[in-house]
Amino acid sequence: TLIELMVVIVIMGILAAVAVPKLFAMIAKSKASEVGPAAGAYVHRQDVYIAEKFEVGDFKAIGYDVPQSTVFNYTETYTANTKEVWTATPKAGLSECSSGTWTVTSEMDSHGGKHVAETDCEMLTPNFTAIGSGS
């Protein structure tokens, strides 16, 4: 009957109202999931370079292959042997955090190298800031 059909439509509307935002959030998280391994590879190569040369190297020196991505641009800011900032900036298509960035700052200190990972998109990569912290 018409009432049963209306009840079914209302239930489907409620389910869609709940499911669609969750779906888009999961898509954004899946896109952002590439940042962790890319940063981890960078930190690993930087650690090896620091152990061998006792200085911070740029992408070329450490042998870091910049990932080919449809979601992120990966860049570096290098300061002569002492500091390197690895940055992942979202391209169009990551509207959940389009203005945010993910960074790993590698610096020399008296004990060798240290890495500090930061992001203002914590909701997409909740464990990103642990990269390079030895945890």
Side-chain angles (χ1 to χ4, degrees), residues 66-90:
V66 178
Q68 298 301 309
S69 174
T70 58
V71 182
F72 291 94
N73 287 317
Y74 295 96
T75 57
E76 68 177 327
T77 306
Y78 180 66
T79 307
N81 303 329
T82 59
K83 183 177 180 181
E84 164 90 352
V85 180
W86 172 99
T87 304
T89 307

Side-chain angles (χ1 to χ4, degrees), residues 24-106:
F24 287 124
M26 293 305 293
I27 290 170
K29 283 185 177 188
S30 71
K31 288 179 179 180
S33 69
E34 79 175 56
V35 173
Y42 163 76
V43 166
H44 174 72
R45 290 185 179 268
Q46 194 66 265
D47 280 342
V48 171
Y49 189 84
I50 289 169
E52 290 178 358
K53 307 281 186 179
F54 205 69
E55 64 185 28
V56 175
D58 63 7
F59 282 4
K60 185 176 180 180
I62 67 174
Y64 179 71
D65 296 323
V66 178
Q68 298 301 309
S69 174
T70 58
V71 182
F72 291 94
N73 287 317
Y74 295 96
T75 57
E76 68 177 327
T77 306
Y78 180 66
T79 307
N81 303 329
T82 59
K83 183 177 180 181
E84 164 90 352
V85 180
W86 172 99
T87 304
T89 307
K91 297 178 181 179
L94 194 61
S95 59
E96 292 75 8
C97 200
S98 59
S99 64
T101 59
W102 287 257
T103 62
V104 177
T105 303
S106 300

